[in-house]
Amino acid sequence: MSDKPEKFIDENGIRLDGRRVDEIRPMTVEMGVLTRADGSCYLEWGNNKVLAAVYGPRELHPRRLQRPGEALVRYRYNMAAFSVEDRIRPGPSRRSTEISKVSGEAFEPVVMKQFYPSAVIDVFAEVLQADAGTRTAAINAATLALVDAGIPMKGLVAACAVGKVDGQLVLDLNKPEDNYGDADLPIAMTEDGDITLLQMDGNLTVEEVNKGIEMVREGCEQIFAIQKAALLERFGTAEEEEVLED
Ligand code: ADP
């Protein structure tokens, strides 16, 4: 691992990777990359590479797990053994179990589960290359994979972290900022702005948390725009795409 940098932000307010404090890393997405999945999305965000696949709605076995009035949504976040510098031991860990739980819950208000009683919708988020912010990257990819699978949703979900380095709040932490920073606050939200995931590592004042949430809102607006452009590319007509480009 690299050593702690002396300074994370220079006198012009520019971070080590050239971004401003309120700027997210470049993000690209491609939907429908897996033919066997009902829905899929490959997402790159900075140096993160994530693949999301959705299977279902399909009958849930064992049947005792079925929910009579709605579908069960299962979310599995996994980091590939080769996704980080040191090999990760394959299989679930405390970290991945926790991330899976809270990430699945981030979709709770948007997925219209009532249309598929007794069914299961499985969401798999596989981190192929990790570089800080993988849980948020996975949520951004999973949203599009769910839409790709034709799951009825009230809207999209976007996620982004904010943190603190050199006494300043910074949006979308990169690896050194995540490793050596004072705080990491990953947040997911719906298009209505309702927060569906909020975790915090480190120390922030109430004012910083509030300001951080506003910075994440701005970041999520950009992510929603990227997600919508991907949806138009996949499902839109040429005329609709032109309107977006104008
Ligand atoms: P997130 O990826 O959502 O930011 P963390 O804050 O837990 O989650 O992790 C930050 C980064 O640390 C990850 O993106 C990854 O690059 C690295 N990392 C996490 N877990 C491990 C691990 N078990 N081994 C090596 N690197 C890891």
Side-chain angles (χ1 to χ4, degrees):
M1 200 191 293
S2 54
D3 293 335
K4 181 176 179 179
E6 241 169 68
K7 267 178 86 176
F8 290 91
I9 305 172
D10 74 12
E11 52 286 351
N12 301 316
I14 300 298
R15 292 149 77 178
L16 291 172
D17 57 12
R19 285 183 290 153
R20 298 185 312 271
V21 291
D22 59 353
E23 203 175 330
I24 63 170
R25 289 171 287 185
M27 183 187 289
T28 57
V29 292
E30 193 183 343
M31 295 174 68
V33 290
L34 299 174
T35 47
R36 287 202 196 98
D38 293 302
S40 57
C41 176
Y42 173 68
L43 178 144
E44 290 189 3
W45 192 5
N47 294 322
N48 289 303
K49 298 184 178 183
V50 178
L51 188 57
V54 170
Y55 293 82
R58 58 187 176 183
E59 198 178 350
L60 175 57
H61 293 286
R63 293 181 76 170
R64 67 185 153 76
L65 294 179
Q66 290 183 357
R67 298 184 175 183
E70 60 176 29
L72 174 68
V73 177
R74 292 191 295 209
Y75 188 108
R76 197 194 73 168
Y77 163 100
N78 184 55
M79 273 176 131
F82 52 81
S83 64
V84 294
E85 248 171 73
D86 306 319
R87 175 178 181 273
I88 290 189
R89 192 165 163 229
S93 62
R94 284 178 62 138
R95 177 178 173 274
S96 68
T97 304
E98 173 205 309
I99 295 177
S100 298
K101 179 182 185 294
V102 295
S103 303
E105 288 167 2
F107 291 92
E108 196 59 34
V110 298
V111 175
M112 299 171 83
K113 297 181 290 185
Q114 67 272 27
F115 289 139
Y116 303 106
S118 309
V120 62
I121 299 165
D122 279 309
V123 183
F124 296 94
E126 293 289 323
V127 178
L128 307 178
Q129 186 168 289
D131 199 49
T134 57
R135 77 194 67 199
T136 50
I139 288 171
N140 293 325
T143 303
L144 290 177
L146 280 162
V147 180
D148 193 37
I151 308 293
M153 286 160 66
K154 292 181 188 158
L156 304 171
V157 175
C160 185
V162 65
K164 189 177 166 187
V165 291
D166 292 352
Q168 283 194 59
L169 293 175
V170 289
L171 192 61
D172 183 24
L173 300 175
N174 60 31
K175 194 76 174 60
E177 291 167 346
D178 189 302
N179 281 356
Y180 302 111
D182 303 320
D184 179 13
L185 183 68
I187 295 173
M189 62 179 64
T190 65
E191 286 179 82
D192 293 336
D194 293 336
I195 292 175
T196 58
L197 176 149
L198 189 150
Q199 298 184 282
M200 186 162 124
D201 199 8
N203 291 316
L204 291 175
T205 64
V206 174
E207 288 73 32
E208 285 170 337
V209 170
N210 286 332
K211 187 172 174 224
I213 291 172
E214 289 318 308
M215 288 171 75
V216 169
R217 280 192 200 288
E218 298 284 323
C220 284
E221 284 307 321
Q222 294 172 44
I223 296 165
F224 285 131
I226 293 166
Q227 289 173 329
K228 285 177 186 170
L231 286 173
L232 259 187
E233 198 182 318
R234 178 126 171 93
F235 299 115
T237 59
E239 292 80 28
E240 283 170 327
E241 278 193 54
E242 256 174 48
V243 172
L244 190 83
E245 276 158 19
D246 289 343

